[in-house]
């Protein structure tokens, strides 16, 4: 797989959607501290399995680890990820799959598949999700 891309803003995420990948997978999680641990326990639990599945992706798939903010920023109803019309993100972690046909620079499409919270830590659901 190509390297994991990281961003912590909606604009940064949109900039990564260039239309050159066949698929894009985005893992939305709470911000991590210097030790790599998130304030979100479900994010911490899911990340090792999600990262292992991401490592199996081909070079034609963009994988993005997107941090949605610290706890107070995420809980704010005006958080940019909550307000985005296509995303309408309500829970973290969220794993979202975007189809190639919908990827265009500067525009965030609706996801094709989504897993949320403890679903992101379910091996069977992850297998289905990553079966592209």
């Amino acid at each position: 797989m190509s390297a994991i891309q990281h961003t912590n803003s909606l604009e940064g995420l949109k900039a990564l959607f260039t239309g050159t990948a066949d698929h894009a997978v985005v893992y939305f999680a709470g911000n991590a501290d210097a030790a790599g641990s998130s304030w979100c326990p479900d994010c911490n639990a899911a990340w090792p399995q999600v990262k292992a599945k991401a490592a199996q992706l081909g070079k034609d798939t963009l994988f993005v680890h997107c941090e949605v903010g610290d706890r107070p920023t995420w809980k704010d109803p005006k958080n940019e990820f909550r307000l985005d019309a296509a995303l309408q993100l309500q829970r973290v972690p969220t794993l979202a799959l975007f189809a190639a046909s919908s990827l265009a620079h500067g525009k965030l499409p609706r996801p094709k598949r989504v897993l949320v919270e403890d679903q992101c830590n379910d091996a069977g659901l992850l297998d289905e999700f990553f079966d592209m």
Side-chain angles (χ1 to χ4, degrees):
M1 101 170 213
S2 43
I4 295 174
Q5 301 295 313
H6 293 271
T7 188
N8 60 3
S9 72
L10 190 58
E11 287 307 310
L13 180 60
K14 289 177 181 179
L16 291 170
F17 280 37
T18 61
T20 59
D22 287 347
H23 299 91
V25 176
V26 182
Y27 179 69
F28 296 94
N31 283 19
D33 60 22
S37 184
S38 172
W39 55 263
C40 167
D42 287 340
C43 300
N44 291 326
W47 178 237
Q49 282 198 80
V50 170
K51 187 176 178 182
K53 294 302 273 183
Q56 298 172 13
L57 294 172
K59 293 187 185 288
D60 57 343
T61 301
L62 170 69
F63 185 87
V64 182
H65 184 276
C66 183
E67 293 183 325
V68 299
D70 58 16
R71 185 171 168 74
T73 302
W74 169 245
K75 292 295 184 179
D76 183 345
K78 294 181 181 174
N79 180 289
E80 64 180 341
F81 296 99
R82 292 180 183 275
L83 295 178
D84 183 79
L87 276 181
Q88 299 177 4
L89 202 64
Q90 297 300 311
R91 298 179 281 178
V92 290
T94 293
L95 192 60
L97 171 68
F98 299 91
S101 60
S102 66
L103 300 178
H105 181 71
K107 184 176 184 230
L108 199 58
R110 290 202 183 275
K112 182 178 172 182
R113 292 185 204 158
V114 175
L115 295 179
V116 296
E117 294 179 333
D118 60 342
Q119 293 175 334
C120 296
N121 197 25
D122 181 301
L125 290 175
L126 285 171
D127 285 345
E128 289 177 28
F129 181 91
F130 282 96
D131 184 23
M132 292 181 237

